[in-house]
Amino acid sequence: MRIKTNDTVEVIAGDDKGARGKVLKVDLVAGKVTVEGVNRVYKHVRRSQRNPQGGRLSMEMPVRISNVLLVCRSCGKAARTGARYMDDGAKQRYCKRCGAENGQIAPPKARYARK
Ligand SMILES: [Zn+2]
């Protein structure tokens, strides 16, 4: 799983294909992400204490992680993401299109450091 909360991703399949948005939530168990403005549905809610008006509530539903790509911070394109170890043993994501680094995903570990 190489997508984290607050990443910008692009949807590559389905109704919202081509849409970009910020990741609001990541569900590691289900392999799904909730993206701002993507897969919006109307939830019909009854009148209740919390919601005395009732009516329709627009909200995003999670989408499969395989249907989104991380948008590269460097080239700005949606590209496949790889992971690699740096000289200090930290793990980072990188863009497979331009090779730029896209944020650290694990702290440095001596085991993986290059001597
Ligand atoms: Zn890139």
Side-chain angles (χ1 to χ4, degrees):
M1 188 80 75
R2 291 176 187 143
I3 289 175
K4 297 190 289 185
T5 315
N6 288 326
D7 281 343
T8 301
V9 294
E10 187 172 310
V11 180
I12 53 165
D15 291 345
D16 288 312
K17 190 170 174 174
R20 283 185 183 197
K22 202 174 79 176
V23 175
L24 304 172
K25 226 176 111 188
V26 177
D27 187 339
L28 291 165
V29 179
K32 288 185 169 191
V33 288
T34 307
V35 184
E36 199 168 43
V38 169
N39 202 13
R40 272 186 173 278
V41 296
Y42 284 108
K43 186 183 177 178
H44 299 264
V45 283
R46 282 179 153 267
R47 261 173 266 237
S48 67
Q49 290 277 312
R50 244 185 74 202
N51 195 340
Q53 268 300 303
R56 299 196 310 169
L57 208 78
S58 181
M59 60 188 287
E60 288 98 354
M61 291 302 278
V63 293
R64 269 295 305 177
I65 202 143
S66 60
N67 293 343
V68 301
L69 279 181
L70 185 67
V71 173
C72 176
R73 287 177 209 166
S74 167
C75 65
K77 287 175 189 146
R80 279 160 64 203
T81 301
R84 64 187 172 196
Y85 289 107
M86 301 315 289
D87 288 345
D88 64 351
K91 203 177 187 184
Q92 68 168 208
R93 301 185 296 189
Y94 69 99
C95 169
K96 288 205 171 173
R97 201 189 286 259
C98 71
E101 140 322 292
N102 263 320
Q104 187 172 303
I105 48 176
K109 266 187 202 147
R111 208 178 338 150
Y112 301 118
R114 229 165 281 146
K115 283 146 212 145

